[in-house]
Every structure is written in C-alpha cells, then in structure tokens.
Amino acid sequence: MPMPTGFIPGLTRLLPLVGICILLISCGREKMDHAELMRALEDPTRGLVRERSVGDLVLRCKYIPPELSAWREMRGREFNIAEYHRRVAEHARLQTFALQIAPREDKGAAVSMRGVQGYEEFAQRTAELNFGMEDRLRLVSETCDMHPVLASLNNSYELNRARTVMMVFAPREGMEELPQRGTVEVVFEDDLFATGIHRFVFDAETLVNAPQLAIGSSQK
Amino acid sequence: MSAIKQKLLIAACLASVLCAAGALTVSLTSGNTGSATRLAFVRSNVLIYEYQGMKDAHARLETLSNEWLGEIKQKEENLKGQQELIHKAADEGEVPQVLQRDAAAAYHEIEALKSEIAGEFQEKEQKLTQGALNQINDFVQEYGRREGYDLVLGTSNSGNVLYGVDAIDITDEVLKELNRVYTGNN
C-alpha cells in the first residue's frame, strides 16, 4: 500500500534529526579511561557513591557502570570487542553496586574479624558475608523493592581490612527495566556489625548517565 | 501610651530577646581558659522514636515477625490436619502408629522452630536497635562538634537532665538533620 505522499517528505526531513538525537543520547555519557573512571566513581560530587560512618566503620556504596562490569569479567582473557559489547548490553539491563565496609582508620582487626570471639563466630561471620547478604540488601524505588539476584563477597585474601560485597539487581519477571527516573535506594540492613539500617540514595538519571569506559585504552 | 512607657516596653522586649539569645550560650566559665562553654540538650526519647532509621528498624522487625509467625501458623495448621486424622482414625478403631509418630514429630518441630525463631528475633531486634542507637550517637557527636558545642546532654527517664530552657533544646534541629542525612535528602 503506498504511503500518503504528503507525509513522506516531512518524515524524510526529520530522519537526519532523529538520527542525530539518537547519536547524541548514546554519546552523551562521558568516556574515561580506567583510572579516570575509578576516580569518578569515588568522587562524591558526581553522585555515584554514597557513604555513611557509624562507630569505627565506614560503609561506602558505589555504582558500577555496565562497561566496568563487562571489562572486569573479561580481565585476563584475550580481548574481543564483540564479546565485550555483548557483555555490556547484558549488564546494561542490570544494576550493579559495590558495598565496601571498612574500618574508619586502617588499623586494628579486619572487618570480618570485628567483634568475633573464637573460630565458630568467625566461621559464622564468613558464611554470612559470603552467602547471607542477599537478604540484607534491597533496591528500592517508586516502582520496585527487590533483593539482589547476586551478592558476592570479593575475595581480598585477607590483604586489607575492608570487605566489599558486589550486588547485582535484575528486572523481575514482567519488568522491562530497572528504574530510570526518580530515586534509587540501596538499603543495607546491617545486623552483622550493628551499624543499623542504611539507605544509600542515588538519582536514577545520574546512574543512567554515569561515565563509561573508553575501551580503546583500557583493554590492554 | 506615654513616651516613657513606650521606651520601657521596647527595653523589655530587647531584654527578653537578649536573654533568649544568651541562653543559647550558657556561660559556664572554664577554670583554665575563662571561655564560655556552649551547652545544649536533646530529648533522647524523641530523638530515638522519631528517627527514621529506628522506625525502619521497627518496621523491618514487624515484617520479619509476621513472616515467621506465618511460617509457624502454617505448620500448626498442618499439625491440626494430622491431629484430625488421628481423631478420625481413633473413632474408627485403631490409630496407625505412623500417624502418631508423624504428629509427634511435627509437634516437636514446631516447638523447636518457635524457640529458634524467638532466639533469632531477639538477636535481630537487639542488633538492629543497637545499630540505630549507634547511628544516633555518632550523629549527635558529629553534630555537636560541627556546631561548636562543648557539651550535649541527653534527657532520659533516669533523670540526668531535669530541666532546660527551650533555647538550649536542640532536639528538633538534630532530628531534622539526622533524618535528612538518613533519607539521603542532601
């Protein structure tokens, strides 16, 4: 069926504009090399990290952009750009955060040993940090309240006193995407170190527009 | 009104304003330095119960309690079903041993679960409540330091502060700031 002739010229004129808009949106995110990106993620003025201090502990919740997650997964392997983009696309559907629990001053016992008396308690603490964090973490927004699909403790090989838990939130069945507007709260219910409940509040749009990894310099 | 009366009224107003302002900084003279000491107090109960972190902790505990009680209730319903089967079997003659054994096991399981849940709940309650109190204490310390107070007292039921003028009651401002930080409304 032929298209109405009056419509096509108007649409044709608009197409370049639409193309430019799409290009601008996709390129809108700042590109950074790995070191710059790591600094940006730690910069509180960018709104990608939130921090709370209670007692002698500091809790820091940091957003991890999809490109960084993909890059980390591929670290140590032969870099393949197509594979990288496939992984980035996968991670773009998720939201990943890192929760670091660190002593306020870098001295004394490691976080995993705080308040622990004896091997049994240490084993319990280790088990809870490794396998019990999903229940203690939530992503809350106007449209969702969910636990992470994955919450894993980074292995620090006891080399430092802080511990970091990576958490990944995925859209539930029936949900097209995770919140893109309004606020996103990562809630940590801490009954391990008795620092209470923490709400790390992020602006969803800030997360969507977080800087991305300039892969050209980082895959080497 | 005569001019003298007007002047007196203005003077009285000024004096009351100055008194209120003066009350903010209680001039306790330190022995060594002679500097004024800034004192304030907070109504601890208000701070604790109106703190959103404590409200969240209580809400979480209530949710947990409902979940756990629901689990027990479900098991009790199952046990009730087993007991009905036993009664029915008894009415009809002999009760199969396996039914009795299963019901006894279910009963013991429920009792063990109740005890386990009570212990877990108590521990969770203690840790979450203590966590919220730690957050408040830390915040008040930080607030006091930042706002230049030398001493911040807390009223409590044991009566460590029996009276204080409103001018040095900083409960509302501390609570407002505490909740602002907690809810991330920067």
Side-chain angles (χ1 to χ4, degrees):
Chain A
M1 194 176 136
M3 294 287 280
T5 49
F7 176 68
I8 294 172
L11 183 68
T12 316
R13 276 200 303 275
L14 280 176
L15 276 177
L17 193 64
V18 172
I20 289 167
C21 285
I22 291 171
L23 202 67
L24 282 175
I25 291 166
S26 61
C27 297
R29 293 173 59 207
E30 205 175 341
K31 285 190 175 178
M32 296 179 170
D33 69 26
H34 186 261
E36 283 172 338
L37 181 63
M38 297 312 284
R39 277 197 297 275
L41 295 179
E42 293 288 348
D43 178 358
T45 62
R46 284 184 173 265
L48 299 167
V49 64
R50 295 283 182 248
E51 192 177 294
R52 297 277 181 272
S53 300
V54 180
D56 61 350
L57 289 179
V58 178
L59 297 98
R60 194 176 291 117
C61 185
K62 185 166 69 179
Y63 176 66
I64 307 293
E67 294 80 9
L68 188 59
S69 298
W71 181 80
R72 281 179 176 169
E73 278 178 0
M74 296 182 74
R75 207 166 30 184
R77 302 181 196 178
E78 194 179 337
F79 191 81
N80 176 313
I81 193 76
E83 175 64 9
Y84 170 75
H85 285 304
R86 191 188 65 76
R87 285 172 190 258
V88 170
E90 266 178 21
H91 281 284
R93 294 192 67 242
L94 314 170
Q95 265 182 2
T96 305
F97 295 87
L99 174 69
Q100 187 193 54
I101 306 166
R104 203 188 285 249
E105 291 171 24
D106 198 20
K107 61 183 182 188
V111 158
S112 50
M113 303 283 281
R114 296 263 155 153
V116 164
Q117 289 164 351
Y119 176 75
E120 199 178 319
E121 283 185 20
F122 174 70
Q124 193 185 349
R125 168 74 53 84
T126 307
E128 280 169 341
L129 281 170
N130 275 293
F131 308 110
M133 293 300 279
E134 277 100 342
D135 292 339
R136 294 178 167 95
L137 293 162
R138 277 160 52 220
L139 184 82
V140 180
S141 79
E142 263 182 38
T143 53
C144 72
D145 184 343
M146 58 172 73
H147 290 286
V149 289
L150 177 74
S152 64
L153 184 72
N154 275 2
N155 198 343
S156 66
Y157 304 99
E158 303 294 322
L159 291 176
N160 64 42
R161 293 177 172 86
R163 290 292 177 271
T164 302
V165 176
M166 301 296 293
M167 62 193 112
V168 181
F169 296 93
R172 275 193 199 132
E173 217 177 298
M175 262 179 100
E176 281 188 16
E177 55 184 18
L178 289 168
Q180 309 283 305
R181 279 186 297 277
T183 57
V184 170
E185 287 184 20
V186 175
V187 180
F188 174 41
E189 182 189 306
D190 177 20
D191 59 344
L192 294 176
F193 305 101
T195 66
I197 294 175
H198 301 272
R199 288 189 192 176
F200 301 100
V201 184
F202 297 89
D203 174 49
E205 283 183 53
T206 304
L207 303 185
V208 170
N209 296 313
Q212 57 179 313
L213 196 60
I215 201 64
S217 60
S218 306
Q219 83 278 23
K220 291 161 192 165
Chain B
M1 195 186 291
S2 71
I4 295 172
K5 274 186 179 172
Q6 266 184 335
K7 280 180 186 170
L8 279 174
L9 190 63
I10 291 167
C13 286
L14 273 174
S16 62
V17 169
L18 286 173
C19 280
L24 280 169
T25 303
V26 177
S27 295
L28 289 181
T29 306
S30 159
N32 293 331
T33 61
S35 60
T37 303
R38 282 192 85 200
L39 290 182
F41 72 91
V42 290
R43 282 165 283 137
S44 304
N45 283 352
V46 174
L47 214 53
I48 290 166
Y49 293 109
E50 294 302 319
Y51 174 41
Q52 192 57 45
M54 188 61 89
K55 287 181 181 177
D56 281 0
H58 285 165
R60 180 68 185 131
L61 289 166
E62 199 176 325
T63 306
L64 273 178
S65 161
N66 289 339
E67 277 173 17
W68 286 342
L69 287 176
E71 197 182 333
I72 290 174
K73 200 175 168 188
Q74 182 60 50
K75 286 187 186 291
E76 281 177 338
E77 289 291 322
N78 294 345
L79 177 63
K80 208 172 151 189
Q82 286 174 308
Q83 285 168 337
E84 276 166 13
L85 280 179
I86 290 172
H87 288 146
K88 202 174 162 192
D91 288 344
E92 287 168 1
E94 203 179 337
V95 180
Q97 225 176 4
V98 67
L99 274 185
Q100 284 180 326
R101 207 172 49 226
D102 286 354
Y107 173 79
H108 289 302
E109 191 192 334
I110 290 169
E111 289 306 303
L113 185 66
K114 277 182 183 171
S115 155
E116 187 189 334
I117 282 175
E120 252 184 76
F121 185 81
Q122 204 176 6
E123 193 182 343
K124 191 100 178 167
E125 184 181 33
Q126 195 269 329
K127 284 185 175 169
L128 286 185
T129 308
Q130 188 57 50
L133 291 175
N134 290 342
Q135 289 178 349
I136 295 172
N137 288 340
D138 259 47
F139 182 82
V140 173
Q141 280 178 32
E142 172 58 30
Y143 184 89
R145 220 182 342 257
R146 196 176 66 217
E147 297 294 321
Y149 287 103
D150 296 295
L151 186 66
V152 178
L153 301 163
T155 61
S156 73
N157 292 337
S158 56
N160 49 11
V161 176
L162 293 174
Y163 172 72
V165 290
D166 288 348
I168 58 166
D169 178 356
I170 58 169
T171 310
D172 293 344
E173 57 204 81
V174 170
L175 183 61
K176 196 175 161 192
E177 184 70 359
L178 180 64
N179 281 334
R180 189 187 66 76
V181 170
Y182 176 75
T183 54
N185 294 319
N186 298 317

